[in-house]
Amino acid sequence: MIGLISDTHDNLRAVRELADRMNDEGVEVVLHAGDYVAPFTLPELAKIDCEEFIGVFGNNDGERDFLREKAEEVGFNLVGEVFTGEVLGLKVAMVHGTEEAIVEALARSGQYDVVVYGHTHEPEERRVGDTLVVNPGEACGYVTGRRTAALLDPDERTVKLIEF
Ligand code: NI
Protein backbone atom coordinates (compact mmCIF):
# COMPACT_ATOMS: atom_id res chain seq x y z
CA MET A 1 0.00 0.00 0.00
CA ILE A 2 1.14 3.56 -0.78
CA GLY A 3 0.25 6.33 1.65
CA LEU A 4 -0.49 9.73 0.10
CA ILE A 5 -0.14 12.79 2.32
CA SER A 6 -0.12 16.52 1.72
CA ASP A 7 -0.25 19.82 3.57
CA THR A 8 0.62 18.78 7.09
CA HIS A 9 1.37 22.45 7.94
CA ASP A 10 2.99 21.93 11.34
CA ASN A 11 -0.02 20.22 12.89
CA LEU A 12 1.92 17.85 15.13
CA ARG A 13 -1.10 16.22 16.71
CA ALA A 14 -2.49 15.46 13.24
CA VAL A 15 0.89 14.12 12.10
CA ARG A 16 1.12 11.78 15.09
CA GLU A 17 -2.38 10.44 14.57
CA LEU A 18 -1.72 10.07 10.87
CA ALA A 19 1.52 8.16 11.53
CA ASP A 20 -0.40 5.72 13.78
CA ARG A 21 -3.07 5.30 11.13
CA MET A 22 -0.57 4.73 8.31
CA ASN A 23 1.21 2.15 10.47
CA ASP A 24 -2.10 0.37 11.15
CA GLU A 25 -2.75 0.29 7.41
CA GLY A 26 0.67 -1.26 6.75
CA VAL A 27 1.83 1.41 4.34
CA GLU A 28 5.02 0.43 2.48
CA VAL A 29 5.82 3.73 0.76
CA VAL A 30 4.72 7.26 1.65
CA LEU A 31 4.47 10.09 -0.86
CA HIS A 32 4.15 13.59 0.63
CA ALA A 33 3.16 16.41 -1.73
CA GLY A 34 4.62 19.21 0.38
CA ASP A 35 3.85 21.99 2.84
CA TYR A 36 5.44 20.44 5.90
CA VAL A 37 6.41 24.04 6.83
CA ALA A 38 8.71 23.63 9.88
CA PRO A 39 11.48 21.01 9.91
CA PHE A 40 10.31 19.70 13.31
CA THR A 41 7.40 17.86 11.69
CA LEU A 42 9.69 15.56 9.71
CA PRO A 43 10.85 13.34 12.61
CA GLU A 44 7.17 12.81 13.50
CA LEU A 45 6.32 11.89 9.91
CA ALA A 46 9.31 9.57 9.91
CA LYS A 47 7.57 7.50 12.59
CA ILE A 48 5.60 5.97 9.77
CA ASP A 49 7.27 2.62 9.53
CA CYS A 50 7.61 2.45 5.75
CA GLU A 51 10.36 1.31 3.40
CA GLU A 52 10.56 4.60 1.55
CA PHE A 53 9.40 8.13 2.26
CA ILE A 54 9.44 10.49 -0.70
CA GLY A 55 8.50 14.16 -0.59
CA VAL A 56 8.48 17.33 -2.66
CA PHE A 57 8.55 20.93 -1.47
CA GLY A 58 5.42 23.07 -1.17
CA ASN A 59 5.06 26.82 -1.55
CA ASN A 60 5.09 27.28 2.23
CA ASP A 61 8.30 25.32 2.73
CA GLY A 62 10.61 28.30 3.14
CA GLU A 63 13.38 26.74 5.22
CA ARG A 64 14.56 24.44 2.47
CA ASP A 65 18.09 23.92 3.69
CA PHE A 66 16.90 23.02 7.20
CA LEU A 67 14.16 20.82 5.80
CA ARG A 68 16.72 19.01 3.62
CA GLU A 69 19.06 18.57 6.59
CA LYS A 70 16.32 17.22 8.84
CA ALA A 71 14.98 14.97 6.07
CA GLU A 72 18.41 13.44 5.61
CA GLU A 73 18.70 12.87 9.36
CA VAL A 74 15.45 10.91 9.53
CA GLY A 75 15.76 9.03 6.24
CA PHE A 76 13.18 10.96 4.32
CA ASN A 77 13.87 11.44 0.61
CA LEU A 78 13.00 15.09 -0.01
CA VAL A 79 13.67 15.32 -3.73
CA GLY A 80 12.90 18.95 -4.65
CA GLU A 81 10.01 20.48 -6.60
CA VAL A 82 9.11 17.44 -8.67
CA PHE A 83 9.30 13.71 -8.13
CA THR A 84 9.04 11.28 -11.00
CA GLY A 85 9.82 7.63 -10.61
CA GLU A 86 8.57 4.13 -10.13
CA VAL A 87 6.81 3.29 -6.87
CA LEU A 88 5.72 -0.31 -6.23
CA GLY A 89 5.41 -0.83 -9.97
CA LEU A 90 3.54 2.39 -10.72
CA LYS A 91 4.95 5.27 -12.74
CA VAL A 92 4.37 8.24 -10.48
CA ALA A 93 4.73 12.01 -10.82
CA MET A 94 4.30 14.28 -7.81
CA VAL A 95 4.32 18.06 -7.43
CA HIS A 96 2.88 20.30 -4.74
CA GLY A 97 0.43 21.74 -7.27
CA THR A 98 1.08 25.45 -6.78
CA GLU A 99 0.69 25.80 -10.56
CA GLU A 100 -2.45 23.99 -11.68
CA ALA A 101 -1.26 24.01 -15.30
CA ILE A 102 1.68 21.81 -14.36
CA VAL A 103 -0.59 19.25 -12.68
CA GLU A 104 -2.73 19.22 -15.82
CA ALA A 105 0.26 18.88 -18.13
CA LEU A 106 1.59 15.92 -16.13
CA ALA A 107 -1.86 14.32 -16.11
CA ARG A 108 -2.36 14.78 -19.86
CA SER A 109 1.12 13.67 -20.82
CA GLY A 110 0.04 10.03 -20.60
CA GLN A 111 3.44 9.14 -19.15
CA TYR A 112 2.30 8.35 -15.62
CA ASP A 113 0.00 5.87 -13.96
CA VAL A 114 -0.54 8.28 -11.09
CA VAL A 115 -0.11 12.03 -10.61
CA VAL A 116 -0.13 13.15 -6.97
CA TYR A 117 -0.53 16.75 -5.85
CA GLY A 118 -1.83 18.79 -2.92
CA HIS A 119 -1.95 22.53 -2.22
CA THR A 120 -5.73 23.08 -2.68
CA HIS A 121 -6.44 21.30 0.65
CA GLU A 122 -9.39 19.64 -1.12
CA PRO A 123 -9.31 15.89 -1.72
CA GLU A 124 -9.73 14.87 -5.32
CA GLU A 125 -9.59 11.70 -7.36
CA ARG A 126 -10.14 11.65 -11.09
CA ARG A 127 -8.92 9.98 -14.24
CA VAL A 128 -7.36 11.66 -17.23
CA GLY A 129 -7.14 8.90 -19.82
CA ASP A 130 -5.38 6.05 -18.05
CA THR A 131 -3.80 8.36 -15.47
CA LEU A 132 -5.14 8.51 -11.95
CA VAL A 133 -4.90 12.05 -10.55
CA VAL A 134 -5.04 12.25 -6.77
CA ASN A 135 -5.02 14.96 -4.17
CA PRO A 136 -5.18 13.47 -0.65
CA GLY A 137 -6.50 16.76 0.75
CA GLU A 138 -5.08 18.34 3.90
CA ALA A 139 -3.57 16.35 6.72
CA CYS A 140 -3.67 19.46 8.93
CA GLY A 141 -7.44 20.03 8.70
CA TYR A 142 -6.99 23.80 8.97
CA VAL A 143 -8.96 24.90 5.92
CA THR A 144 -11.74 22.35 5.46
CA GLY A 145 -11.98 21.09 9.05
CA ARG A 146 -11.36 17.55 7.74
CA ARG A 147 -8.00 15.87 8.22
CA THR A 148 -7.55 13.60 5.24
CA ALA A 149 -4.94 11.45 3.54
CA ALA A 150 -5.22 8.63 1.02
CA LEU A 151 -4.23 5.02 0.46
CA LEU A 152 -3.28 3.94 -3.03
CA ASP A 153 -3.42 0.24 -3.81
CA PRO A 154 -0.69 -0.33 -6.41
CA ASP A 155 -2.16 -3.61 -7.71
CA GLU A 156 -5.79 -2.53 -8.03
CA ARG A 157 -4.85 1.06 -8.84
CA THR A 158 -7.58 2.29 -6.57
CA VAL A 159 -7.56 5.11 -4.04
CA LYS A 160 -9.24 5.24 -0.67
CA LEU A 161 -9.57 8.53 1.16
CA ILE A 162 -9.05 8.28 4.91
CA GLU A 163 -10.09 10.69 7.64
CA PHE A 164 -8.27 10.57 10.92
NI1 NI B 1 0.51 24.87 -0.70
Side-chain angles (χ1 to χ4, degrees), residues 7 35 59-60 96 119:
D7 294 274
D35 277 0
N59 58 308
N60 291 299
H96 182 57
H119 185 61

Side-chain angles (χ1 to χ4, degrees), residues 6-7 9 33-35 57-61 96-98 118-121:
S6 191
D7 294 274
H9 284 270
D35 277 0
F57 285 119
N59 58 308
N60 291 299
D61 293 322
H96 182 57
T98 316
H119 185 61
T120 65
H121 292 230

Side-chain angles (χ1 to χ4, degrees), residues 77-103:
N77 187 13
L78 194 44
V79 296
E81 293 282 338
V82 186
F83 166 75
T84 59
E86 199 159 311
V87 179
L88 300 180
L90 295 177
K91 281 181 252 159
V92 175
M94 177 168 65
V95 291
H96 182 57
T98 316
E99 298 291 341
E100 204 184 325
I102 292 175
V103 176

Side-chain angles (χ1 to χ4, degrees), residues 150-161:
L151 298 169
L152 168 61
D153 183 324
D155 302 319
E156 302 294 328
R157 300 191 179 196
T158 52
V159 176
K160 188 173 92 175
L161 195 73

Side-chain angles (χ1 to χ4, degrees), residues 57-144:
F57 285 119
N59 58 308
N60 291 299
D61 293 322
E63 302 264 33
R64 295 198 171 192
D65 290 342
F66 288 128
L67 280 163
R68 277 204 182 90
E69 228 171 81
K70 189 55 86 179
E72 207 165 302
E73 245 176 74
V74 299
F76 179 156
N77 187 13
L78 194 44
V79 296
E81 293 282 338
V82 186
F83 166 75
T84 59
E86 199 159 311
V87 179
L88 300 180
L90 295 177
K91 281 181 252 159
V92 175
M94 177 168 65
V95 291
H96 182 57
T98 316
E99 298 291 341
E100 204 184 325
I102 292 175
V103 176
E104 286 308 307
L106 288 167
R108 288 175 197 287
S109 73
Q111 291 186 56
Y112 303 100
D113 299 313
V114 185
V115 173
V116 181
Y117 75 105
H119 185 61
T120 65
H121 292 230
E122 295 284 349
E124 183 193 47
E125 179 197 343
R126 66 190 156 101
R127 281 185 194 272
V128 176
D130 291 328
T131 303
L132 192 54
V133 182
V134 188
N135 184 334
E138 53 167 358
C140 62
Y142 291 156
V143 175
T144 63

